[in-house]
């Protein structure tokens, strides 16, 4: 039995990892060949790995470490709560102070009459809750046939059977019997890839009106809800045209369809406001939260319901919940995380200072020959790589080939930037400083340059034949 620690040689850690640890969204053979990168410590926006590299984490882990790494207040909040009450459930008419205090705080922060919190331990769980919740809502209101939920292709709402079905990731649907019945999909508002000759404004309206067409096709009396991320995250940071969300809001209002805003990434400052729905000017009936709620220091998620929805659900026994719904340690850490975001003015700083600064620098990357467009809202952004800017062409190679080459150059330059197909994405900790933003942009330039050289060498700068 090896006694593993951060002092164990990397190769040994990698061998044991490959032998026993199954990784999410990872090809096992590739991992065994290359070995996993092993992260040992982190502070602010910086990760250290077992080989002694210092890496700029422009993804905030998985979009979640909003206050940055190494915040001792959060460790102390957890330790304090573990000593006092490490666990108790919230089933069967019991409660505890952390769950109560966090719910009150979330009701204060959430816009409008979103005042009621149902806890989960992740975004996937929270969206599973939402799926059952919206159907239960309509059944309780005497419209049990209102069951369909409409989502979008290339949306990401989680990885459980329910939330993965709500999502529109075809690669996920292809495995394990998804999607479950009762979920319909419309196209995403990705103008760069799918907008053809339309202006972004016309395209935004066209994509929003697909919702209206789908509602009419299914019958408004059969549709429970529409779910969407204010800005698609895992789908490649797709920022919709400005015409999109107002039209969606008109449609859900007109047909009496509940709107679920999946704020798992957009929430807690990511877009420069507390919630993405505020940035996009929409009024959801339910918000999904997770990730930045605790800055990833504890697994916690939830659904925030409007007064009207909560009133109906409270009128029945909703036979649903998780052992860890409202886990006291997770709630205590989330509460402390929200205090840090508030007291340090982090959301305002993203909106007024570092966000605009990052936007200017990030948009400057469009001067690079590989970059067709740069889209950014607050601190989530993406670059569309292209062999031909004027025609917005895709590459002739399989989607993701070029993105992967670029991602590997980023890794080599100790910059964590992800690729989704041939889009490069960032979502740095919200506490990133101006100097660190400069550093991020410099490393991105260098990585793009190196990728460009390799792509030319490998003959990968070919445009796909447009259809
Ligand atoms: C990450 C994510 C989820 C799933 O959250 P998990 O905590 O991984 O289950 C759901 N929705 C969105 C928008 C996400 O980005």
């Amino acid at each position: 039995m090896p006694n593993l620690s951060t002092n164990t040689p990397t190769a040994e850690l990698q061998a044991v990892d490959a032998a026993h640890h199954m990784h999410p969204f990872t090809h096992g053979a590739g991992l065994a060949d290359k070995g996993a990168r092993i992260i040992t410590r982190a502070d602010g926006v910086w990760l250290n790995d077992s080989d002694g590299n210092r890496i700029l984490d422009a993804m905030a882990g998985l979009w979640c470490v909003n206050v940055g790494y190494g915040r001792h207040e959060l460790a102390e909040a957890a330790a304090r709560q573990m000593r006092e009450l490490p666990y108790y459930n919230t089933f069967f008419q019991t409660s505890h102070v952390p769950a109560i205090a966090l719910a009150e705080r979330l009701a204060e922060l959430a816009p409008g009459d979103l005042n009621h919190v149902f806890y989960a331990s992740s975004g996937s769980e929270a969206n599973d809750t939402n799926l059952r919740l919206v159907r239960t809502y309509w059944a309780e209101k005497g419209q049990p046939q209102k069951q369909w939920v409409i989502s979008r292709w290339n949306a990401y709402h989680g990885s459980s059977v329910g939330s993965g079905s709500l999502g529109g990731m075809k690669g996920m649907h292809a495995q394990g019997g998804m999607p479950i019945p009762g979920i319909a999909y419309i196209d995403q508002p990705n103008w760069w890839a799918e907008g053809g000759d339309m202006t972004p404004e016309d395209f935004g309206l066209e994509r929003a009106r697909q919702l209206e067409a789908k509602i009419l096709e299914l019958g408004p009396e059969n549709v429970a809800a529409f779910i969407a991320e204010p800005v698609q995250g895992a789908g490649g940071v797709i920022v919709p045209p400005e015409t999109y969300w107002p039209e969606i809001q008109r449609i859900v209002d007109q047909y009496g369809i509940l709107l679920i805003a999946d704020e798992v990434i957009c929430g807690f400052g990511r877009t420069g406001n507390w919630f993405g729905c505020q940035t996009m000017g929409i009024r959801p009936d339910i918000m999904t939260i997770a990730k930045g709620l605790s800055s990833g220091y504890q697994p916690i998620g939830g659904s925030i319901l409007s007064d009207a929805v909560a009133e109906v659900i409270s009128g029945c026994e909703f036979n649903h919940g998780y052992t860890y719904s409202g886990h006291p340690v997770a709630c205590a850490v989330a509460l402390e995380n929200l205090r840090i975001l508030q007291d340090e003015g982090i959301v305002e700083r993203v909106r007024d200072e570092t966000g605009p600064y990052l936007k200017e620098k990030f948009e400057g990357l469009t001067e690079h020959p590989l970059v067709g467009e740069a889209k950014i809202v607050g601190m989530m952004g993406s670059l569309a790589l292209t062999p031909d800017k004027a025609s917005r062409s895709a590459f002739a190679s399989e989607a993701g080939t070029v993105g992967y080459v670029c991602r590997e150059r980023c890794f080599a330059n100790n910059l964590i930037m992800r690729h989704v197909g041939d889009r490069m994405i960032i979502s740095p900790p919200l506490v990133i400083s101006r100097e660190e933003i400069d550093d991020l942009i410099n490393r991105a330039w260098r990585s793009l340059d190196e990728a460009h050289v390799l792509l030319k060498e490998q003959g990968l700068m070919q445009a796909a034949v447009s259809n």
Side-chain angles (χ1 to χ4, degrees), residues 16-241:
V16 180
D17 182 68
H20 299 297
H21 177 196
M22 307 286 295
H23 290 251
F25 290 98
T26 300
H27 198 295
L31 184 74
D33 291 349
K34 268 179 70 183
R37 189 163 205 175
I38 294 165
I39 306 301
T40 49
R41 317 181 54 82
D43 189 48
V45 302
W46 299 95
L47 305 170
N48 292 345
D49 74 8
S50 57
D51 290 329
N53 293 304
R54 202 165 142 74
I55 305 157
L56 203 171
D57 182 9
M59 284 306 300
L62 282 178
W63 322 79
C64 55
V65 189
N66 289 12
V67 299
Y69 299 94
R71 295 298 306 233
H72 292 225
E73 304 93 314
L74 296 178
E76 269 140 37
R80 215 181 303 126
Q81 188 57 47
M82 279 198 199
R83 285 191 205 101
E84 194 171 304
L85 180 69
Y87 175 74
Y88 200 72
N89 70 73
T90 53
F91 286 28
F92 318 131
Q93 302 183 7
T94 56
S95 203
H96 48 67
V97 176
I100 299 167
L102 180 61
E104 181 191 40
R105 185 74 188 108
L106 287 168
E108 278 168 15
L109 287 172
D113 67 349
L114 293 161
N115 287 321
H116 310 270
V117 182
F118 193 106
Y119 290 113
S121 298
S122 69
S124 300
E125 287 182 2
N127 278 327
D128 278 10
T129 299
N130 292 339
L131 180 58
R132 297 192 60 208
L133 197 147
V134 295
R135 291 171 169 173
T136 305
Y137 169 85
W138 289 111
E140 286 296 307
K141 281 176 72 90
Q143 292 176 262
Q145 78 294 345
K146 248 171 122 61
Q147 293 285 295
W148 281 95
V149 176
I150 303 174
S151 179
R152 305 183 294 181
W153 294 117
N154 202 35
Y156 188 77
H157 297 301
S159 198
S160 59
V161 175
S163 63
S165 297
L166 284 174
M169 297 283 173
K170 290 182 182 169
M172 291 176 69
H173 288 183
Q175 297 170 319
M178 295 202 291
I180 57 172
I183 300 171
Y185 307 88
I186 59 173
D187 290 321
Q188 60 175 339
N190 181 347
W191 176 78
W192 175 267
E194 300 172 9
D197 295 332
M198 297 178 95
T199 63
E201 293 70 30
D202 287 348
F203 177 73
L205 287 176
E206 188 268 326
R207 286 291 151 108
R209 286 175 189 156
Q210 283 195 13
L211 176 61
E212 187 162 36
K214 185 59 81 176
I215 291 170
L216 292 171
E217 176 194 324
L218 297 167
E221 69 285 3
N222 299 320
V223 180
F226 174 62
I227 183 169
E229 304 149 83
V231 178
Q232 285 158 267
V237 186
I238 309 301
V239 182

Side-chain angles (χ1 to χ4, degrees), residues 413-433:
N413 286 306
N414 286 329
L415 171 66
I416 305 257
M417 208 168 160
R418 257 170 72 184
H419 75 108
V420 175
D422 298 323
R423 280 187 97 86
M424 303 304 300
I425 60 179
I426 61 164
S427 167
L430 304 185
V431 295
I432 191 169
S433 68

